[in-house]
Amino acid sequence: VRLPILWERLQPVLNQPLDPDELARLKESVTAMRKAGLGVIIDPHNFATYNDIQIGTRIVSYADFADFWRRVAVEFGNRDGVHFGLMNEPFHMPATQWLPAAQAAITAIREMGAKNLILVPGVEWTSAREWARASASEMIKVTDPGNNFAYEFHQYLDSDFSGTHDTCPRADDALAAISGVTAWLRANGKRGYLGEFGGSGDPACLKGIADMVSAMNTAKDVWIGWTYWVAGDWWPATEPNNITPTKDGDRPQLSALLGPGLDDKSCAGF
């Protein structure tokens, strides 16, 4: 489960302790998921901002971001099955601005002795399609003293790759993006994780989802796993990508994810 949180809610004041009530709620959620046998990715869903102000500015510094992750690492460091997704979808910033933020957070996490897997996004919503153009040349410079990180990519299949439409006319382009990233990971000896992808029950979307999963399953030397977007009781039934089961049973996207001859263990990320 990729579990979205808000930085401002968990840490209402920069460089100050985490909010005890919100921390308790997060711990309760993580404990319940682990008890159910699920791995958990803690995901600050902030788009590289704090109160809509970008990291790497006078108001929200790299040190502020490192402080946040230092405190999270103290609470969740070395918990089995708990992973750290540094940030959801940095955008409208160059990779030269984002890289120091990611590096500061990684360093802070390791300084706390936490060995958890770290997922490192790029910029431009960490789009697989935009990786070579926008992120690759800078994000290849990431260093991890714990040697336990993977790059996180997102990739949708609709007309503008946003995941907000119920048709998937660019499924072939999305698959090509995954293939391109696979080649980049292999060439550089790195690992990748597909943090977001999804589509509606439209046949083209279902085929596209299945093709993407198949591509990753045949490249497990570089792909360590994936999480589908989106599920959860708070999402409306009309959300095209919603995979939460209904009173009538599973949605068709689940079969596309599992694929012919596969089961849930075949697709496990960790």
Side-chain angles (χ1 to χ4, degrees):
V1 175
R2 185 166 171 259
L3 178 61
I5 62 172
L6 281 180
W7 181 2
E8 303 91 340
R9 187 176 291 164
L10 186 57
Q11 189 183 38
V13 180
L14 291 173
N15 290 294
Q16 294 299 310
L18 304 180
D19 179 83
D21 291 335
E22 193 66 15
L23 178 60
R25 190 161 72 125
L26 178 57
K27 285 185 172 180
E28 181 181 8
S29 298
V30 170
T31 297
M33 292 173 186
R34 291 300 299 136
K35 187 176 180 180
L38 301 170
V40 183
I41 299 167
I42 297 176
D43 160 41
H45 216 76
N46 281 77
F47 306 93
T49 70
Y50 182 93
N51 284 329
D52 296 324
I53 300 171
Q54 284 189 340
I55 302 169
T57 61
R58 179 180 60 83
I59 299 175
V60 184
S61 69
Y62 298 133
D64 295 333
F65 188 50
D67 174 82
F68 169 76
W69 270 112
R70 188 175 289 109
R71 295 177 191 274
V72 173
V74 168
E75 301 293 342
F76 295 96
N78 300 320
R79 285 193 59 173
D80 181 56
V82 177
H83 318 290
F84 297 157
L86 289 185
M87 179 57 64
N88 179 69
E89 296 188 348
F91 75 101
H92 289 173
M93 63 166 56
T96 51
Q97 181 180 347
W98 168 241
L99 174 63
Q103 191 60 64
I106 293 168
T107 300
I109 290 167
R110 298 307 185 212
E111 285 176 350
M112 294 299 100
K115 300 177 181 178
N116 309 56
L117 172 72
I118 298 173
L119 300 179
V120 183
V123 294
E124 291 299 312
W125 295 272
T126 200
S127 164
R129 186 170 178 269
E130 299 292 336
W131 185 260
R133 179 189 66 82
S135 298
S137 62
E138 285 298 311
M139 300 313 294
I140 192 63
K141 300 174 186 176
V142 166
T143 60
D144 176 12
N147 194 31
N148 187 25
F149 82 97
Y151 291 103
E152 180 177 341
F153 306 91
H154 294 180
Q155 186 60 56
Y156 289 99
L157 305 84
D158 52 348
S159 58
D160 58 1
F161 304 110
S162 67
T164 60
H165 303 90
D166 57 8
T167 59
C168 296
R170 306 199 68 177
D172 288 344
D173 292 330
L175 183 61
I178 295 300
S179 297
V181 165
T182 300
W184 184 86
L185 292 168
R186 282 184 176 143
N188 290 283
K190 303 300 182 183
R191 301 187 297 171
Y193 187 87
L194 189 62
E196 286 188 24
F197 70 118
S200 72
D202 178 81
C205 295
L206 299 179
K207 181 180 184 302
I209 290 168
D211 287 346
M212 291 171 75
V213 170
S214 178
M216 288 183 287
N217 275 334
T218 57
K220 289 184 177 181
D221 55 315
V222 292
W223 288 101
I224 64 172
W226 47 261
T227 39
Y228 178 91
W229 185 273
V230 63
D233 291 339
W234 285 6
W235 286 96
T238 54
E239 160 60 41
N241 295 358
N242 192 342
I243 201 173
T244 305
T246 72
K247 62 181 178 59
D248 298 319
D250 289 327
R251 297 174 191 262
Q253 292 97 322
L254 182 62
S255 295
L257 288 171
L258 292 177
L262 298 177
D263 56 27
D264 56 353
K265 292 183 179 179
S266 300
C267 299
F270 299 106

